[in-house]
Amino acid sequence: MTKRAYRAEILSVSADPRDRPDAIRHEPDGLLVIEDGIVLERGAFADLAQRFADVEIEAIAGLIVPGFVDAHIHYPQTERIAAHGEQLLDWLERHIFPAEKAFVDKAHASDVAGFFLDELLRNGTTSALVYPTVHEQSVDGLFEQALARRMRLVSGKVLMDMGPEGLRDTVASGRAESEALIRRWQGKGRLGYAITPRFALASTDAQLADAGALLAEHPEVLMHTHLAENQHEIAAVAARFPDAADYLDAYDRFGLVGSRSVFAHGVHLTERSCARLSKTGAGIAVCPSSNLFLGSGHFDFGQADRHGLRLGLGTDIGAGTTFSMLRTAGLAYEAAIAREDRLDPFRALYLATAGSAALLHIADRVGALEPGQEADFTVLDCTATPLLARRTRGATLADRLFALQILGDDRAIAATYIEGDCAWRRPPLPPEPRRP
Ligand code: GUN
Ligand code: ZN
């Protein structure tokens, strides 16, 4: 039994503060006591210090928040961020499919996966729901690297039997490889599996039906795909599935819509599909930087909230342009206000942590730094840049948090901890420029 404690300002938002304002928990001078990687106790330093007088306490400068949970990201697209010039379908053909073909090589997959996971840690992200490629070995490469870093990750082989040459499986190979991967990885360390049809346009009806059957046979795994991202894509789905009521219905008829389903984007949802998402408890991973980059549109928070949809936040690298969940939260605010909605900074923090964790069905383990949860956290630095320092001087907590979301990025992550151990620490900041 190893106990240790960190003394710092601590903030978490365990539930949507629109419904539960009391879910915002803030200790200006807090103590986080950890035993064997699990939060044992958390509270005001003044209240806990005596009880834990025998435990070694490390003071941390900065604001501790739960490790970020990225609810939708593609690791094989890491090296294709910032590919110029196309909207979704052309961008996939021109930039993404060629890059994904290289993941047939396990050594390449492992190399990119290692870089990718380190980049997550550098950005304060400790958990994620990740797309690999169609190749079984791309999943092995990712999970092996995640296991070595003790990260809590969910992923699963991409199903795409209508994909281009070199990125195409079959119903049978997709099923066999998915089953083998579930056996190999589900529940190993902190890893989980997600059945992952790429999107409705990349699989035959037979493969979508088989994915639904596989999901029904494995109540322990998630389903992860894309939904209603781009108008050209939506038109193509309507042409392919003329009998479907809308895009969501094209999945629903194959048993792919339920409480374990995570749909990325949902930028253009029908009222009918919102009602269906709400009834089934399926979640949406909102990906604002990707939506801006591909010109897909702005997520409609007003519509989602009228239907009480379960939401999380994702970067969607490499259509997304940043690994930073702080920056992604800031862009979610900008997407909301473009439609005359508002996104409160505490709610944005909830979406980036416990909200995304709930979509991944890991909210009992991570996302709020509550006693009994795994001690994954990140340390935010309000003074990371001269501008941030000036903007947050003497500011309220809400103002500091919002400034971090609008002005912050990887520079504002002072350190990232996995199960109580420091997994990444920012190198010392450069000195202030000298003035004459
Ligand atoms: N729809 C199908 N595949 C993809 C992908 O790789 N990225 C995004 N943003 N949307 C998709
Ligand atoms: Zn995506």
Side-chain angles (χ1 to χ4, degrees), residues 157-311:
K157 179 204 129 55
V158 178
L159 300 167
M160 45 191 303
D161 66 341
M162 290 173 71
E165 177 77 43
L167 280 185
R168 195 182 305 142
D169 57 1
T170 65
V171 177
S173 71
R175 155 71 71 147
E177 290 173 10
S178 298
E179 283 181 334
L181 286 163
I182 291 170
R183 275 196 302 277
R184 197 141 72 237
W185 292 110
Q186 171 63 36
K188 186 163 183 176
R190 306 176 76 203
L191 306 175
Y193 197 82
I195 296 164
T196 310
R198 180 165 210 129
F199 66 157
L201 296 176
S203 289
T204 58
D205 287 18
Q207 187 169 58
L208 292 172
D210 199 57
L214 191 58
L215 187 64
E217 287 161 32
H218 288 279
E220 72 282 18
V221 309
L222 300 184
M223 200 290 299
H224 182 201
T225 192
H226 295 94
L227 173 69
E229 175 178 1
N230 168 282
Q231 295 289 14
H232 301 291
E233 170 212 23
I234 292 168
V237 169
R240 156 90 191 276
F241 300 93
D243 300 334
D246 50 34
Y247 196 152
L248 185 73
D249 195 38
Y251 292 130
D252 214 355
R253 51 190 52 211
F254 298 113
L256 293 170
V257 181
S259 63
R260 289 178 286 130
S261 308
V262 180
F263 295 101
H265 304 294
V267 176
H268 310 282
L269 293 174
T270 62
E271 286 290 304
R272 195 212 68 87
S273 59
C274 284
R276 183 71 186 141
L277 287 166
S278 174
K279 179 148 185 260
T280 57
I284 298 283
V286 180
C287 304
S289 98
S290 163
N291 298 157
L292 270 174
F293 180 72
L294 290 179
S296 304
H298 298 302
F299 183 77
D300 190 341
F301 281 95
Q303 182 191 38
D305 292 343
R306 276 197 306 283
H307 288 272
L309 299 191
R310 295 171 62 228
L311 304 180

Side-chain angles (χ1 to χ4, degrees), residues 67 78 118 149 183 260 372 427:
T78 301
D118 288 342
R149 289 165 180 77
R183 275 196 302 277
R260 289 178 286 130

